[in-house]
Amino acid sequence: MSKKNGESPYERLKRKAAEILPQNIYQDLIDKVEASGLSEEGKQRVIEEAIRQYLHAQVQPGEAVGTVAAQSIGEPGTQMTLRTFHFTGIVEFDVTLGLPRLIEIVDAKREPSTPLTYIYLKEPWRSDEAKAREVARKIEYTTMEKIIEDIDYQLGDRVITIVLDKERLEDKGVTVDQVVKALKKEKIGEVLSIEEGEYKGKPVIFIDVEVSEKLLPEESLLMPQSFHSVNEKIKKIYLKGIKGIKRISVREEEEGSGKFMLLAEGNNLEEILRLQEVDYRRTRSNNIHEIARVLGIEAARNALIDEIMNVLKEAGLDVDIRHVMIVADIMTWSGAIRQIGRLGVAGEKPSVLARAAFEVTVKQLYEAAVTGELERFLGVTENIIAGLPPRVGTGAVLLRMGKPARNG
Amino acid sequence: MASKRGLGKKVLEHELVPEHRLLTIEEAIDVLRRLGAQPWHLPRISVNDPVARVLGAKPGDIIEIKRRSHTGGEALYYRIVVAYQKGVK
């Protein structure tokens, strides 16, 4: 009886365990049991006990997991700080953390209040700070405004002088050539001369431009506001970079690792992932909607879990990840991101009373009355309002009196 | 800047994206029978979801997702493909 088709009872038990237990628990268990030096029988008993404990710990059918998740996140949430800003070892950037960030995630706000993009690089850019900095310069959205020191003009004179700060030019990695090309492309006018010089004690480059007649008609030559609008136009000229990426900093992935990554203020995941220098497998942003749009709903679910867990961990709260996973699953259930709230999950409940209990009570009741909605008392909230046992846990089972049993 | 088209297959390699697989009709029926569910009971994924587009899914298809579970190795999840949804590009 001990050997059936060449399999020992221990092996049979192992197979049974593999079927029941999740992979990583199974692997952990087997590794430890094999290394323990227990007798065959001892090993069997440990595995049997593990299976028993696992089944015991599983959620029972009918368990109100959603309510438990809400409580388990809500209670620690009351201990979170209301303070918006917090530094997380990043000197240059503010990162919204704590309760405001949690609310932002759960409300599925279109734009995070501090949009960030974590850009990981491929080799060789990854292990070379100078090269990483080059990529950063390439990505940072740069307009003329960032390198212009001043624009000089005189009423009645078509020729204006653009003063470029040489230091900033170098810092942003823009060449004078690029500037001239951009001026030409935007049809500002003819570049007359380029000269180096000094302006307010700074080394600068003067560019004289004869503004085209189209931008500055003859009759408006004496009006300051027309010059002003030309200035504004010049300042807005796009030089390079990716739209939406405002500031960017180079940092080490982990301190002392010698591997560099970029941290960018602003979101534009799609364009960033297209760059050949960027590791498109790891680069991510903190904008859930953007992730759903670019990488799909499952990626958004993972990002939701990561973001919420990160906020909770940062606040020093120990919330089981399973509760967060339920929240993320509910938020992504429909294939798009839904907020937990009046405009999302809570607002789409089929029960009138449940919706009315959440927010804008009168409006909900009024509209339900107009459309003649039916209350079926299937959810938790409406049953509690009505004083009925909710259909969860033991309440999920309905008992009905049958015919009296014969003979007593 | 670059073309307006999506990122294509690159999407599938991202660490946030679990493995997606389009089920054949036979497999889909089998899954529904096993779960004792009707198609509309399943969570949804939009046809214009980047991953669904790469797989060439059509509304009514079922996609099997092999999630790297945070608590227990791998877990299978199913989503049914639904028509275009607002908010997803």
Side-chain angles (χ1 to χ4, degrees):
Chain A
M1 162 108 191
S2 68
K3 291 216 171 169
K4 207 176 177 183
N5 27 328
E7 210 179 27
S8 72
Y10 172 60
E11 269 161 8
R12 201 164 341 122
L13 190 63
K14 246 168 83 170
R15 206 151 48 83
K16 187 181 163 204
E19 262 168 43
I20 295 172
L21 300 177
Q23 276 166 13
N24 51 0
I25 296 180
Y26 172 76
Q27 209 52 52
D28 251 23
L29 176 71
I30 297 300
D31 287 350
K32 290 211 170 109
V33 165
E34 310 259 278
S36 66
L38 285 168
S39 67
E40 192 89 332
E41 205 209 327
K43 287 180 191 171
Q44 279 185 44
R45 284 180 52 190
V46 170
I47 295 176
E48 264 165 24
E49 180 64 14
I51 293 175
R52 206 182 64 76
Q53 290 281 347
Y54 175 73
L55 292 178
H56 183 69
Q58 268 188 326
V59 172
Q60 299 295 317
E63 182 94 47
V65 285
T67 311
V68 174
Q71 299 257 336
S72 306
I73 296 173
E75 193 280 328
T78 60
Q79 298 168 36
M80 285 174 114
T81 43
L82 288 164
R83 218 155 50 106
T84 315
F85 290 110
H86 200 280
F87 297 106
T88 45
I90 315 159
V91 190
E92 312 96 302
F93 292 104
D94 279 338
V95 184
T96 311
L97 276 174
L99 202 58
R101 176 63 183 153
L102 190 62
I103 290 171
E104 197 173 285
I105 298 168
V106 177
D107 277 352
K109 259 180 70 176
R110 289 260 146 220
E111 298 281 334
S113 53
T114 49
L116 286 179
T117 307
Y118 303 85
I119 305 169
Y120 291 89
L121 300 170
K122 279 188 200 154
E123 300 291 355
W125 297 276
R126 191 168 168 226
S127 3
D128 186 338
E129 192 175 357
K131 278 189 179 154
R133 219 164 274 286
E134 245 168 63
V135 181
R137 284 207 198 114
K138 189 175 150 189
I139 293 175
E140 190 174 24
Y141 187 72
T142 312
T143 55
M144 216 60 141
E145 189 168 14
K146 291 201 174 165
I147 52 166
I148 283 179
E149 175 69 33
D150 203 358
I151 297 178
D152 231 7
Y153 60 89
Q154 246 161 11
L155 291 185
D157 190 353
R158 188 170 287 289
V159 179
I160 62 169
T161 307
I162 301 170
V163 187
L164 301 180
D165 187 329
K166 232 176 149 184
E167 217 167 88
R168 270 190 275 172
L169 215 54
E170 236 160 77
D171 181 49
K172 303 280 177 207
V174 182
T175 60
V176 180
D177 241 22
Q178 275 176 306
V179 175
V180 173
K181 236 180 239 166
L183 285 172
K184 203 173 276 171
K185 203 175 153 214
E186 294 293 321
K187 298 200 174 71
I188 300 296
E190 194 117 1
V191 176
L192 296 178
S193 68
I194 303 166
E195 264 173 64
E196 289 198 30
E198 211 165 273
Y199 182 85
K200 289 180 185 163
K202 278 187 200 164
V204 293
I205 290 165
F206 297 106
I207 301 180
D208 285 345
V209 182
E210 187 180 351
V211 182
S212 68
E213 203 134 328
K214 215 169 160 194
L215 269 176
L216 208 60
E218 206 61 55
E219 61 270 21
S220 66
L221 265 180
L222 288 170
M223 290 195 284
Q225 63 263 48
S226 59
F227 275 98
H228 189 74
S229 73
V230 171
N231 285 2
E232 285 305 305
K233 185 150 193 227
I234 289 173
K235 277 183 184 166
K236 285 213 181 85
I237 291 175
Y238 165 85
L239 284 173
K240 67 190 181 96
I242 289 176
K243 215 175 159 201
I245 305 301
K246 280 183 219 106
R247 264 187 328 142
I248 199 157
S249 82
V250 181
R251 39 190 306 245
E252 274 183 292
E253 280 177 22
E254 267 157 46
E255 225 160 299
S257 66
K259 305 281 182 203
F260 294 91
M261 62 168 292
L262 310 177
L263 187 65
E265 194 184 316
N267 290 146
N268 195 341
L269 196 57
E270 196 171 351
E271 292 302 331
I272 287 172
L273 289 180
R274 274 184 218 283
L275 297 175
Q276 55 151 348
E277 295 92 343
V278 167
D279 183 353
Y280 56 83
R281 290 181 186 86
R282 294 199 292 158
T283 295
R284 58 163 80 189
S285 83
N286 67 349
N287 184 338
I288 308 289
H289 282 282
E290 183 181 62
I291 288 174
R293 207 173 57 232
V294 179
L295 296 173
I297 195 69
E298 277 293 317
R301 171 191 177 263
N302 283 329
L304 271 171
I305 296 172
D306 289 354
E307 289 283 330
I308 297 177
M309 283 311 284
N310 182 36
V311 170
L312 294 171
K313 215 166 64 203
E314 209 66 53
L317 302 172
D318 186 25
V319 176
D320 194 288
I321 194 166
R322 278 160 261 249
H323 301 310
V324 176
M325 281 159 74
I326 283 206
V327 171
D329 275 342
I330 293 292
M331 286 180 73
T332 56
W333 191 90
S334 69
I337 308 284
R338 287 189 305 169
Q339 63 149 217
I340 305 267
R342 174 160 51 92
L343 306 170
V345 176
E348 283 167 26
K349 284 185 178 177
S351 158
V352 195
L353 290 182
R355 269 180 284 136
F358 190 71
E359 272 170 20
V360 286
T361 309
V362 177
K363 187 172 158 247
Q364 291 292 356
L365 293 176
Y366 176 73
E367 273 169 16
V370 169
T371 53
E373 267 185 66
L374 187 68
E375 177 59 72
R376 287 153 55 90
F377 291 101
L378 294 173
V380 177
T381 316
E382 52 269 36
N383 275 305
I384 289 177
I385 293 172
L388 300 166
R391 306 266 306 257
V392 291
T394 47
V397 187
L398 293 180
L399 291 181
R400 197 170 292 152
M401 202 80 90
K403 285 182 192 153
R406 267 185 220 163
N407 306 330
Chain B
M1 204 173 167
S3 68
K4 264 268 169 262
R5 279 172 24 251
L7 294 159
K9 290 210 159 68
K10 271 186 181 181
V11 167
L12 300 182
E13 292 176 39
H14 199 280
E15 65 174 7
L16 284 174
V17 181
E19 194 182 320
H20 289 57
R21 191 171 68 91
L22 200 59
L23 296 185
T24 62
I25 291 185
E26 292 79 27
E27 286 173 311
I29 291 170
D30 189 51
V31 163
L32 289 175
R33 190 170 298 143
R34 209 171 66 234
L35 298 174
Q38 297 296 329
W40 57 87
H41 293 148
L42 294 182
R44 296 164 192 167
I45 185 168
S46 177
V47 261
N48 45 325
D49 186 274
V51 179
R53 268 198 311 202
V54 174
L55 295 180
K58 288 189 260 327
D61 287 341
I62 292 176
I63 291 178
E64 180 187 81
I65 296 147
K66 202 181 266 176
R67 287 177 171 174
R68 290 176 293 264
S69 165
H70 294 265
T71 50
E74 272 173 4
L76 291 180
Y77 198 73
Y78 300 92
R79 282 185 187 268
I80 186 160
V81 181
V82 293
Y84 177 87
Q85 281 193 358
K86 236 172 72 185
V88 186
K89 199 165 82 182

